[in-house]
């Protein structure tokens, strides 16, 4: 069940397009330099508490599930720092119901380092699917019973399992370094946990099931931060959200919203023209 890519909207709309980082060379050094100054009292967000619980649980069950920032490249420090402090309403105005209702799912937000520096792993849904055909997304899906406790290691295991099933990724090469707050997708009733990973030991990836996935690809972070590749999508329903025109694809909806907020809170965002609009088909 791959329905986590329904469109969602983040809450901090007034902040869009007001990045603080000037244009610079697309290298790992640029992103390391974007980290905010250290110091001040430590702030622990709900997501950080979940990550801490997962780390404690995983340490006794499976070392591969431990959440740790040890050995991360310096350019990922701002992302790890943001994951520890970011609040749910800073990511989206759609938050899980207080009743606990919703289908639990997880996505893997996997950072690697390619020929052009930092990059993200994405996949594109098959064009034959009835829902969101051809839409780029993070690997991910619903939690299965064997994934374990949804409050600790369940989302971590689900994100890695789904990534392996969808892209052929070897989870042994992935270091989980953070967990973002759970978000809600009202149209599908999914509660989605974004799991942050460092592709410490890259493995071959590609389409596993052509019926579900059209392609698997990576996108340089430098392309995601390039103002020329940014736009605002406009759905016939009236919903507006951030989008990225990269790798011959339009990245929008939930995936674009998460990427947009990571760029913003990591200090990597550059000012872009929010008036540049891309209309979406009513079937999107």
């Amino acid at each position: 069940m791959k329905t986590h890519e329904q469109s969602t909207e983040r809450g901090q709309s007034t902040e869009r397009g007001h990045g603080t980082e000037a244009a610079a060379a697309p290298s790992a050094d640029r992103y390391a330099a974007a980290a905010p100054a250290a110091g001040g009292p430590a702030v622990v967000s709900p997501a950080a508490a979940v990550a801490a619980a997962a780390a404690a649980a995983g340490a006794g069950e499976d070392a591969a599930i431990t959440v740790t920032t040890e050995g991360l490249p310096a350019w990922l420090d701002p992302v790890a720092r943001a994951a520890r402090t970011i609040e749910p309403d800073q990511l989206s105005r759609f938050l899980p119901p207080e009743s606990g209702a919703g289908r639990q799912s997880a996505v893997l937000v996997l950072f690697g380092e390619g020929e052009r520096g930092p990059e993200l792993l994405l996949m594109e849904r098959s064009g034959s699917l009835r829902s969101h055909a051809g839409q780029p997304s993070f690997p991910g899906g619903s939690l299965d019973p064997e994934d374990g406790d949804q409050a600790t290691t369940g989302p971590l295991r689900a994100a890695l399992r789904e990534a392996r099933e969808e892209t052929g990724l070897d989870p042994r090469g992935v270091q989980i370094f953070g967990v973002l707050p759970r978000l809600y997708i009202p149209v599908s009733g999914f509660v989605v946990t974004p799991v942050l990973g460092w592709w410490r030991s890259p493995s071959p990836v590609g389409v596993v099931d052509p019926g579900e996935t059209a392609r698997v690809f990576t996108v340089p972070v430098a392309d995601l931060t390039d103002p020329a590749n940014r736009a605002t999508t406009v759905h016939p329903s009236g919903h507006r959200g951030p989008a990225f025109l990269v790798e011959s694809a339009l990245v929008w909806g939930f995936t674009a919203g998460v990427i947009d907020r990571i760029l913003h809170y990591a200090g990597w965002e550059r000012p872009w023209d929010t008036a540049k609009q891309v209309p979406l088909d009513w079937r999107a």
Side-chain angles (χ1 to χ4, degrees):
M1 182 74 66
K2 313 292 188 266
T3 59
H4 54 263
E5 282 309 308
Q6 304 278 355
S7 177
T8 188
E9 180 181 354
R10 59 181 175 76
Q12 301 293 314
S13 59
T14 58
E15 295 178 341
R16 185 187 307 158
H18 297 288
T20 58
E21 187 66 17
S27 67
D29 289 344
R30 173 190 185 277
Y31 300 102
V43 179
V44 179
S45 71
V50 171
E61 299 175 19
D62 186 346
I65 302 300
T66 300
V67 179
T68 176
T69 58
E70 183 177 354
L72 281 184
W75 58 265
L76 266 178
D77 287 345
V79 181
R81 186 179 296 111
R84 291 193 298 269
T85 59
I86 197 167
E87 295 292 332
D89 60 3
Q90 292 177 307
L91 286 177
S92 174
R93 68 183 180 91
F94 295 123
L95 305 179
E98 293 183 2
S99 65
R103 188 168 182 179
Q104 298 294 322
S105 64
V107 295
L108 181 63
V109 184
L110 185 60
F111 290 88
E113 191 159 359
E115 294 181 357
R116 294 182 54 205
E119 60 186 15
L120 273 177
L121 177 70
L122 297 177
M123 50 178 277
E124 187 175 297
R125 293 166 58 83
S126 171
S128 62
L129 293 175
R130 290 186 300 175
S131 176
H132 299 277
Q135 186 173 343
S137 68
F138 299 119
S142 301
L143 270 66
D144 286 347
E146 58 267 29
D147 292 324
D149 187 355
Q150 67 183 38
T152 57
T153 59
L156 281 60
R157 286 193 172 91
L160 292 173
R161 174 182 53 76
E162 288 282 349
R164 174 176 55 80
E165 294 175 358
E166 293 177 327
T167 72
L169 173 79
D170 185 349
R172 294 173 298 181
V174 176
Q175 175 181 335
I176 297 176
F177 68 89
V179 182
L180 294 181
R182 291 183 175 92
L183 303 176
Y184 186 58
I185 302 178
V187 69
S188 63
F190 272 71
V191 175
V192 188
T193 301
V195 177
L196 304 178
W198 158 236
W199 208 353
R200 184 185 64 250
S201 300
S203 56
V205 291
V207 174
V208 175
D209 181 358
E212 288 193 353
T213 307
R215 63 171 173 149
V216 176
F217 59 102
T218 57
V219 180
V221 172
D223 288 349
L224 294 168
T225 60
D226 187 342
N229 296 333
R230 304 213 54 180
T232 297
T233 53
V234 183
H235 194 276
S237 66
H239 169 80
R240 295 170 181 263
F244 301 84
L245 297 152
V246 291
E247 299 296 323
S248 302
L250 174 64
V251 182
W252 64 283
F254 178 86
T255 299
V258 171
I259 293 174
D260 173 77
R261 294 293 79 195
I262 288 175
L263 297 182
H264 178 81
Y265 286 106
W268 295 348
E269 184 180 30
R270 295 162 58 189
W272 57 282
D273 183 9
T274 59
K276 178 182 176 181
Q277 297 184 354
V278 177
L280 294 173
D281 188 274
W282 66 270
R283 292 165 292 187

